[in-house]
Amino acid sequence: MLNRKVDDIIKKVTQLNPMPSNVSRIIWEIEKSDVTIDTLTGLISLDQALTALVLQMSNSVSLGYSHSCSTLKEAVMYIGLARLKSILMTSSAANMLKSKLAGYSLGAGELWLHSLTTAVAAEWLAQALKYPNAEEAYISGLLHDIGKLLLDQYVLGNYIALVDSVKNNQLPLWQMEEKLLGINHAYVGGLIAKHWNFPTTLVDAICYHHYPSFAKKNHQLSAIINLANAFVKGYQLENTSSIGNKIHPESMNILKIDIARVEELKIGMMASGRLPETFKNGQTL
């Protein structure tokens, strides 16, 4: 029975639409050393959904942006090419993450809120810990729970058993997913990222954010996402808080930090202003 469920879930991953060709084209243009803002805005403006997303993200107070951008060109110049690339890479998932997930008892926008908060926290931690590519941390944080989108219907059918098992066994949600479904949301998220041809580093960070020592390519990035996910759990709406969003002991070993440093980082992140009142109040973008 479990094997059939796993096979069915994996099949659904392969049936997902690939990254749109227009998005791939724009990302390819960004990589060029001589790319111009006019070229990028011209390509983005051909897609209304992408245009709206870029403008929305550039004007998001929730992301710490205080400047208001009224045009696409201004938005691209303000957020920069690195963040633009991140927005484009995650654009296929953005609307899906805003959906209601009945299986996980998440209302519309709640998964997006948690994902966005984790992305901001991961970026801050990457900078604080001198990780060389904070944008990788942002992307991985934003997509770390994307696997829940495909597991939701299976969790819904096992919801009572899942909740009871989590409470009675005091095991994290992802481990109970494995027991009841044969696969967990982090692994499914990694499969989705691989399906979209993301670099192995990002695939691993998503796939192993609950157990970073298993990452094949980059243990450090997975550990940062593990830390960020644990840090922001207090900012989630009350009914989105999952038992077991704890820092994996291996994360501290990988990042060469101790409990005292973890607390120092958490206090510093909260004081930085990067996680504003918007998150505390449970408001979406």
Side-chain angles (χ1 to χ4, degrees), residues 19-32:
M19 185 179 290
S21 58
N22 63 320
V23 173
S24 298
R25 165 77 192 283
I26 300 169
I27 292 174
W28 182 72
E29 288 289 341
I30 290 175
E31 300 293 340
K32 291 182 177 180

Side-chain angles (χ1 to χ4, degrees), residues 63-77:
L63 292 176
Y65 298 143
S66 57
H67 182 76
S68 180
C69 301
S70 58
T71 68
L72 184 58
K73 183 174 182 178
E74 187 180 7
V76 172
M77 292 177 67

Side-chain angles (χ1 to χ4, degrees), residues 5-157:
K5 283 184 180 178
V6 172
D7 288 343
D8 190 36
I9 291 165
I10 292 175
K11 184 178 180 181
K12 288 185 182 302
V13 172
T14 62
Q15 291 173 342
L16 287 173
N17 291 330
M19 185 179 290
S21 58
N22 63 320
V23 173
S24 298
R25 165 77 192 283
I26 300 169
I27 292 174
W28 182 72
E29 288 289 341
I30 290 175
E31 300 293 340
K32 291 182 177 180
S33 59
D34 59 347
V35 66
T36 66
I37 299 298
D38 287 337
T39 296
L40 294 176
T41 54
L43 291 170
I44 295 169
S45 64
L46 296 174
D47 188 312
Q48 288 184 337
L50 276 184
T51 300
L53 183 61
V54 172
L55 282 169
Q56 180 192 35
M57 297 292 271
S58 68
N59 285 309
S60 174
V61 176
S62 300
L63 292 176
Y65 298 143
S66 57
H67 182 76
S68 180
C69 301
S70 58
T71 68
L72 184 58
K73 183 174 182 178
E74 187 180 7
V76 172
M77 292 177 67
Y78 183 58
I79 62 178
L81 296 186
R83 181 50 47 89
L84 176 62
K85 183 178 177 181
S86 296
I87 292 172
L88 292 169
M89 289 181 70
T90 57
S91 60
S92 296
N95 286 331
M96 293 190 292
L97 287 169
K98 296 175 185 177
S99 303
K100 176 182 178 180
L101 298 184
Y104 287 97
S105 292
L106 295 171
E110 290 184 43
L111 180 58
W112 172 251
L113 175 62
H114 169 65
S115 300
L116 190 57
T117 314
T118 304
V120 174
E123 181 185 37
W124 187 91
L125 285 167
Q127 293 167 344
L129 293 167
K130 310 300 182 187
Y131 182 75
N133 193 331
E135 206 61 37
E136 285 183 347
Y138 177 88
I139 297 173
S140 303
L142 192 64
L143 297 181
H144 77 287
D145 272 350
I146 194 172
K148 288 182 178 178
L149 295 171
L150 287 191
L151 285 193
D152 185 60
Q153 62 176 299
Y154 300 94
V155 171
L156 183 60

